[in-house]
């Protein structure tokens, strides 16, 4: 095989490295394998673009180990050996031999890279100049143009655009029908309903019609005519971006209504452009006032008071809370305990769903594996019904395949990497490559969570800790008043700084300790802008409810002076909390809970996801989902939208 046909033209390789690699002879290859495969193996490694000889030799060693165990004497070429199915089978056999997770991950990554280089090199010889662009995520003007083209083309193209490009219905979904409800247009499938975000496309013409496979083909034809080549992955990402852009709903409502996942939100966020200065200035009204439909839902507490008021004095129309009696404290503790128990029972709907879950094929095989499917998915403690459904579908297909082949459906022997990879290679031939990988990923997650046998795969822990629970509206109001009514002026200023910046702008304790007076700007209209220092530098504004606290915290400070003093003995926040007087009704003040309270308030505003992530300094949407999982299903989102000001 000629090496010039395999190496990409843009790749410049060191001639000495190429010569050394071709002289290298792996020891685990037989004489026949040396003759049949070694030259092609070197070509594939060089086509993958190694940076140096050591990396090239390591790649060739992994490929040699793979070929020595997979290739047979009757195999013709390397293309017959280097396939996705054989790679998965070999990795599964290596896992059974006790190879570490790191080794398996490294080997799989090298082989996948070589397969990609092989396929790219094979097609680069005959490939012509592309006539159309492969679309990534279709948003903005590009989406509007495509929707107009579908609207003018045919009813089938309109259905395809609404279902796959806006609602996120997976390609291949059967028996889905369009239904106009009070909340908008829905695509109702047997297992789930997909809301359609508002768009410029005609909605009335598809009411009651059935979604068919030809609708997806019609959508692709319109995109091709406009110079785009979309795929199922492109359509799904575009649907997520369209759902996140529906600012007629709050961020929390969007996450729940459109069945968005954490990974889906993060992927869509990467495709969105970061807000520029003009957009940030326009959206500052939301960050300051909690504006909904042009109305301010966050109100200030009144003009600053030069001196603390005595107990019982009125302030801005509010009566200062007196010390809570012992009976009232017990009653409040009982209410909080009941709320925590209600949050703990948030997984009950998933258990109810699994108890009634029945797949499309309900036969004698399902009666045999139904208890295993329901019990296995139930112990994994998934956070949403949709996630539990997807894992149940994958486990049902896997156990059904094992039962039909006379294999055991017991969890201890079935949920192991080796048999799962065998199912990936042989049992999913009628599905696409992406669907096969999704099934394998879900089955491996079930194996790590539900299989406690000796041969179970080791569970992978990423070390993520959920965010602390935020304060409710009553606790937030008590903390605000406690900060304003400290008897010592310096303690009052410092406590107002902690409460104002953490609960009013979402700063962490590290960012607050590094904050200086010059980082805070008070504009003519009263808006307080903060340039947050630290590891996540950003700009944000203070909620109107906490502007008085921030104003008190900045009194008498020079430009280069820190908002909180620098102490050698302990943290300035810890020392300040010890010096503050907090009566029994005021909950313990925690900066992490104050920041979570602000992020939870932010989620209940009609704010773009990109701006919410930018203002809070987050890198992904995981924190939003952690906060959302702590809320009760029957919680009144309108209460938090009011900003906690009464």
């Amino acid at each position: 095989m000629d090496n010039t046909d395999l190496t990409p033209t843009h790749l410049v390789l060191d001639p000495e490295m190429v010569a050394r690699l071709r002289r290298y002879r792996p020891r685990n290859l037989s004489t026949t394998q040396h003759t049949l495969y070694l030259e092609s193996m070197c070509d594939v490694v060089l086509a993958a673009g190694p940076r140096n000889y050591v990396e090239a030799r390591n790649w060739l060693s992994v490929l040699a180990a793979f070929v020595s165990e997979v290739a047979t004497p009757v195999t013709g070429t390397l293309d017959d050996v280097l396939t996705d199915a054989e790679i998965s089978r070999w990795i599964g056999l290596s896992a059974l031999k006790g190879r570490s997770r790191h080794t398996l991950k490294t080997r799989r990554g090298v082989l996948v890279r070589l397969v990609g280089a092989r396929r790219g090199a094979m097609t680069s010889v005959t490939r012509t100049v592309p006539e159309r662009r492969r679309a990534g995520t279709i948003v903005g003007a590009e989406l509007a143009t495509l929707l107009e083209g579908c609207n003018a083309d045919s009813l089938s193209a309109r259905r395809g655009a609404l279902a796959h490009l806006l609602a996120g219905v997976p390609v291949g979904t059967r028996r889905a029908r369009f239904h106009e409800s009070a909340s908008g247009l829905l695509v109702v499938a047997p297992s789930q309903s997909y809301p359609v975000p508002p768009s410029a496309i005609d909605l009335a013409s598809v009411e009651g019609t059935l979604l068919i496979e030809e609708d997806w083909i019609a959508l692709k034809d319109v995109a091709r005519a406009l110079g785009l080549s979309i795929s199922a992955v492109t359509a799904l990402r575009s649907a997520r971006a369209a759902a996140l852009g529906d600012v007629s709903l709050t961020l929390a409502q969007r996450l729940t209504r459109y069945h968005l996942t954490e990974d889906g939100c993060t992927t869509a966020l990467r495709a969105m452009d970061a807000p520029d200065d003009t957009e940030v200035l326009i959206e500052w009204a939301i960050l300051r006032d909690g504006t909904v439909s042009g109305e301010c839902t966050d109100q200030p507490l009144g003009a600053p008071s030069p001196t603390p008021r005595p107990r019982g004095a009125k302030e801005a129309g509010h009566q200062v809370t007196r010390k809570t009696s012992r009976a009232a404290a017990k009653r409040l503790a009982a209410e909080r305990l009941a709320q925590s128990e209600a949050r703990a029972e948030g997984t009950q709907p998933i258990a109810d769903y699994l108890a009634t879950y029945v797949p499309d094929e309900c036969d004698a095989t399902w009666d045999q594996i139904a208890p295993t499917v329901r019990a296995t998915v139930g112990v994994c403690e998934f956070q949403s019904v949709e996630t539990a459904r997807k894992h149940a579908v994958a486990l049902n297909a896997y156990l059904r395949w094992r039962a039909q082949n006379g294999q055991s459906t017991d969890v201890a022997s079935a949920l192991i990497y080796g048999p799962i990879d065998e199912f990936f290679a042989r049992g999913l031939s009628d599905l696409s490559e992406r669907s096969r990988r999704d099934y394998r990923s879900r089955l491996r997650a079930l194996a790590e969570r539900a299989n406690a046998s000796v041969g179970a795969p080791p569970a992978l822990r990423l070390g993520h800790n959920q965010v602390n629970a935020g304060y409710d509206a009553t606790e937030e109001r008590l903390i605000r008043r406690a900060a304003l009514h400290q008897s010592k002026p310096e303690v009052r200023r410092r406590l107002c700084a902690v409460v104002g910046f953490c609960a009013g702008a979402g700063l962490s304790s590290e960012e607050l300790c590094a904050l200086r007076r010059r980082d805070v700007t008070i504009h003519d209209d009263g808006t307080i802008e903060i340039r947050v220092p630290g590891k996540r530098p950003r700009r944000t504004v203070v909620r109107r409810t906490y502007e008085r606290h921030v104003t008190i915290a900045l009194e008498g400070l020079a430009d280069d002076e820190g908002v909180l003093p620098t102490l050698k003995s302990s943290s300035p926040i810890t020392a300040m909390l010890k010096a503050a007087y907090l009566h029994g009704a005021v909950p313990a003040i925690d900066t992490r809970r104050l920041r979570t309270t602000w992020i939870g308030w932010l989620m209940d505003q009609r704010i773009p996801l990109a701006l919410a992530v930018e203002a809070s300094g987050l890198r992904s949407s995981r924190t939003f989902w952690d906060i959302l999982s702590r809320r009760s299903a029957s919680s009144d989102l309108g209460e938090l939208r009011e900003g906690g000001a009464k």
Side-chain angles (χ1 to χ4, degrees):
M1 184 177 295
D2 189 3
N3 185 34
T4 57
D5 293 338
L6 285 175
T7 306
T9 56
H10 67 277
L11 201 61
V12 179
L13 300 177
D14 184 9
E16 182 179 356
M17 180 190 70
V18 175
R20 290 184 63 186
L21 185 66
R22 293 193 179 280
R23 291 194 303 266
Y24 179 69
R25 294 292 182 268
R27 298 181 179 180
N28 46 4
L29 292 179
S30 64
T31 304
T32 305
Q33 291 171 343
H34 269 286
T35 305
L36 290 177
Y37 306 114
L38 185 57
E39 183 178 357
S40 299
M41 291 165 57
C42 292
D43 294 339
V44 171
V45 171
L46 293 175
R51 291 170 294 183
N52 48 52
Y53 170 72
V54 175
E55 188 174 51
R57 186 189 62 186
N58 293 338
W59 289 358
L60 185 59
S61 300
V62 173
L63 183 58
F66 168 75
V67 171
S68 65
E69 298 183 14
V70 174
T72 60
V74 297
T75 305
T77 62
L78 184 63
D79 293 334
D80 300 328
V81 179
L82 193 59
T83 62
D84 293 335
E86 292 295 339
I87 291 174
S88 298
R89 188 172 67 86
W90 184 64
I91 294 296
L93 294 176
S94 301
L96 294 177
K97 293 179 181 179
R99 300 291 184 183
S100 65
R101 181 182 292 271
H102 176 73
T103 301
L104 297 178
K105 183 178 179 180
T106 303
R107 288 184 173 184
R108 182 185 291 276
V110 170
L111 293 175
V112 169
R113 183 186 181 99
L114 296 180
V115 169
R118 181 72 174 181
R119 292 173 179 172
M122 296 291 289
T123 57
S124 63
V125 179
T126 59
R127 184 175 57 189
T128 59
V129 178
E131 298 179 356
R132 57 185 182 272
R133 180 180 65 84
R134 170 68 70 177
T137 302
I138 305 176
V139 294
E142 198 173 56
L143 176 62
T145 303
L146 183 54
L147 291 179
E148 290 178 2
C150 293
N151 195 19
D153 184 84
S154 63
L155 176 61
S156 181
R158 285 198 294 271
R159 288 198 302 254
L162 285 171
H164 303 301
L165 202 59
L166 293 181
V169 180
V171 177
T173 301
R174 300 179 180 179
R175 303 193 304 275
R177 186 177 296 274
F178 292 90
H179 173 67
E180 185 74 25
S181 65
S183 58
L185 187 67
L186 300 175
V187 184
V188 182
S191 59
Q192 182 178 335
S193 296
Y194 300 88
V196 179
S199 63
I201 199 168
D202 186 10
L203 304 181
S205 60
V206 299
E207 164 64 21
T209 58
L210 189 67
L211 179 67
I212 58 179
E213 296 180 1
E214 286 74 10
D215 298 340
W216 169 245
I217 301 176
L219 172 61
K220 294 178 66 176
D221 292 340
V222 175
R224 187 180 298 108
L226 296 174
L228 296 175
S229 177
I230 64 174
S231 63
V233 178
T234 300
L236 181 60
R237 290 177 178 175
S238 303
R240 290 168 176 169
L244 291 173
D246 181 14
V247 293
S248 63
L249 301 176
T250 66
L251 180 57
Q253 291 170 340
R254 272 172 275 166
L255 297 179
T256 54
R257 173 177 171 81
Y258 294 115
H259 310 288
L260 297 172
T261 61
E262 174 193 327
D263 295 336
C265 290
T266 304
T267 303
L269 180 64
R270 292 171 182 171
M272 298 178 182
D273 296 331
D276 55 21
D277 291 343
T278 304
E279 293 178 349
V280 171
L281 290 174
I282 295 175
E283 301 295 344
W284 269 0
I286 300 178
L287 297 179
R288 183 189 182 194
D289 300 326
T291 304
V292 176
S293 300
E295 297 180 1
C296 176
T297 60
D298 237 356
Q299 299 295 336
L301 291 180
S305 174
T307 57
R309 288 178 172 81
R311 182 178 300 276
K314 294 184 177 181
E315 178 182 6
H318 295 285
Q319 185 74 22
V320 178
T321 305
R322 296 184 179 276
K323 186 175 181 180
T324 306
S325 64
R326 186 172 300 178
K330 291 183 178 180
R331 186 166 55 252
L332 181 60
E335 293 176 357
R336 292 177 182 172
L337 179 61
Q339 293 176 359
S340 62
E341 292 177 350
R343 287 193 296 266
E345 294 176 356
T347 58
Q348 186 62 30
I350 298 180
D352 297 340
Y353 170 78
L354 293 175
T356 58
Y357 167 75
V358 177
D360 295 336
E361 300 179 11
C362 186
D363 49 14
T365 305
W366 167 248
D367 296 337
Q368 175 186 351
I369 64 176
T372 305
V373 172
R374 291 167 177 164
T376 303
V377 179
V379 300
C380 292
E381 298 181 355
F382 295 112
Q383 296 184 356
S384 67
V385 174
E386 177 62 16
T387 304
R389 183 193 68 81
K390 291 180 179 179
H391 286 78
V393 170
L395 185 58
N396 168 63
Y398 174 53
L399 296 182
R400 180 180 295 274
W401 177 79
R402 289 182 62 86
Q404 293 173 353
N405 288 273
Q407 300 178 6
S408 173
T409 58
D410 183 61
V411 173
S413 58
L415 289 182
I416 300 177
Y417 281 175
I420 291 175
D421 288 340
E422 182 182 1
F423 173 66
F424 170 78
R426 298 172 47 201
L428 297 172
S429 58
D430 58 333
L431 299 180
S432 64
E433 181 68 18
R434 178 177 176 82
S435 298
R436 293 170 60 230
R437 293 183 184 275
D438 288 342
Y439 270 60
R440 181 178 60 180
S441 176
R442 291 163 189 161
L443 291 173
R444 287 188 167 194
L446 290 172
E448 293 178 356
R449 295 189 180 193
N451 191 1
S453 63
V454 177
L460 179 62
R461 295 292 180 263
L462 300 180
H464 168 66
N465 296 323
Q466 275 200 337
V467 298
N468 298 74
Y471 297 103
D472 57 30
T474 303
E475 294 173 331
E476 188 181 359
R477 189 158 49 246
L478 291 174
I479 291 175
R480 288 201 306 266
R481 293 177 179 175
L484 292 173
H485 293 88
Q486 294 296 312
S487 58
K488 299 179 180 179
E490 183 61 20
V491 174
R492 182 191 188 212
R493 189 193 68 80
R494 297 179 185 178
L495 187 57
C496 284
V498 174
V499 175
F501 286 105
C502 295
L507 271 66
S508 64
S509 57
E510 294 81 4
E511 294 168 344
L512 178 59
C513 292
L515 189 69
R516 297 190 175 276
R517 176 61 182 87
R518 61 172 176 265
D519 299 326
V520 184
T521 303
I522 302 179
H523 295 276
D524 296 337
D525 61 349
T527 302
I528 302 179
E529 176 190 354
I530 306 174
R531 295 185 179 273
V532 184
K535 299 179 180 179
R536 297 167 292 184
R538 61 191 184 278
R539 287 194 304 165
T540 185
V541 297
V542 179
R543 284 177 56 185
R544 188 181 294 271
T545 303
Y546 290 90
E547 287 179 350
R548 179 178 180 184
H549 296 77
V550 173
T551 303
I552 295 175
L554 300 178
E555 290 179 353
L557 295 181
D559 288 344
D560 58 345
E561 190 174 356
V563 175
L564 293 181
T566 302
L567 302 179
K568 298 181 180 180
S569 58
S570 62
S571 168
I573 298 179
T574 303
M576 182 275 305
L577 292 177
K578 291 181 179 179
Y581 171 73
L582 302 176
H583 54 82
V586 180
I589 298 178
D590 190 330
T591 56
R592 295 170 297 180
R593 296 187 65 186
L594 291 174
R595 171 172 163 80
T596 303
T597 303
W598 178 81
I599 297 177
W601 171 85
L602 191 67
M603 291 174 60
D604 292 307
Q605 312 305 319
R606 300 177 183 178
I607 183 173
L609 177 63
L611 182 60
V613 173
E614 177 72 17
S616 56
L618 300 174
R619 297 178 180 176
S620 68
S621 60
R622 169 177 285 180
T623 301
F624 296 145
W625 283 100
D626 288 349
I627 296 175
L628 199 62
S629 64
R630 291 179 175 272
R631 294 184 176 182
S632 175
S634 60
S635 62
D636 182 14
L637 297 181
E639 180 182 355
L640 288 180
R641 192 167 65 245
E642 296 296 331
K646 300 294 183 180

